[in-house]
Amino acid sequence: MTMVTAGNRVVDFLKGKASQDLPATSYFPGIHEARIDELLPEWIVSRMRRGLTLFGKQMRGYNTENCDLIGFETRTSSPVRIPRDPQTLQHPDVQGLYPCAEGAGYAGGIVSAALDGIRCADALAAG
Ligand SMILES: Cc1cc2nc3c(=O)[nH]c(=O)nc-3n(C[C@H](O)[C@H](O)[C@H](O)COP(=O)(O)OP(=O)(O)OC[C@H]3O[C@@H](n4cnc5c(N)ncnc54)[C@H](O)[C@@H]3O)c2cc1C
């Protein structure tokens, strides 16, 4: 299967049109011109347009021809969650098992995984 990642110049995204070409990118898999406003729901597009326009006013040069939107990064965290008791943090049926962090469904990134790890280690030490 070929993976294609969408690219749209910010100035074109704000106008709601496809980019004729795209600037060089360091994004390794490469990008293909696409209308990102047609790939996302309207409630996200309208907020992105508002935000990008605001940034463009606050930071000179932010919304230029050379600024690309590249997408999408999607959720890769575990879609399932191993049950655990909210007090002991142990599995309700398997004593001594502490479902923890991303794979168990309790974190979605480095910091949340680390914090959940600390929480589980504290629960283990206290138990
Ligand atoms: C390409 C990529 C980019 C990412 N970028 C970001 C980012 O920019 N910012 C961000 O916040 N998060 C990012 N993440 C997510 C982040 O890396 C994870 O959310 C985090 O590392 C999860 O931590 P964890 O301790 O739950 O799991 P892991 O870090 O996966 O740790 C699980 C550990 O369990 C071990 N293990 C597995 N099976 C067994 C077994 N049977 N016996 C013993 N040990 C076992 C593994 O070897 C591993 O050491 C990224 C993830 C990927 C894949």
Side-chain angles (χ1 to χ4, degrees):
M1 186 175 73
T2 308
M3 297 290 288
V4 178
T5 303
N8 203 182
R9 289 179 193 260
V10 168
V11 288
D12 293 329
F13 172 78
L14 292 175
K15 289 180 198 154
K17 64 177 210 174
S19 303
Q20 294 304 309
D21 54 15
L22 295 168
T25 176
S26 58
Y27 182 68
F28 181 69
I31 52 176
H32 183 76
E33 295 94 3
R35 283 200 42 191
I36 286 186
D37 62 325
E38 289 184 341
L39 300 175
L40 288 170
E42 201 284 325
W43 62 272
I44 294 180
V45 171
S46 57
R47 285 164 175 80
M48 283 176 69
R49 285 199 175 120
R50 274 214 310 274
L52 287 164
T53 304
L54 187 67
F55 279 132
K57 285 181 183 153
Q58 290 173 344
M59 280 181 254
R60 221 179 127 103
Y62 192 86
N63 291 343
T64 68
E65 278 289 318
N66 292 322
C67 181
D68 248 352
L69 287 176
I70 299 174
F72 300 93
E73 184 166 330
T74 57
R75 180 188 158 97
T76 53
S77 304
S78 173
V80 295
R81 177 173 271 195
I82 300 174
R84 78 180 181 192
D85 180 275
Q87 301 303 321
T88 66
L89 304 190
Q90 291 179 58
H91 190 285
D93 301 322
V94 187
Q95 201 187 359
L97 177 66
Y98 292 78
C100 181
E102 184 168 3
Y106 292 93
I110 292 164
V111 174
S112 60
L115 290 174
D116 198 54
I118 293 170
R119 212 175 297 131
C120 287
D122 283 346
L124 175 63

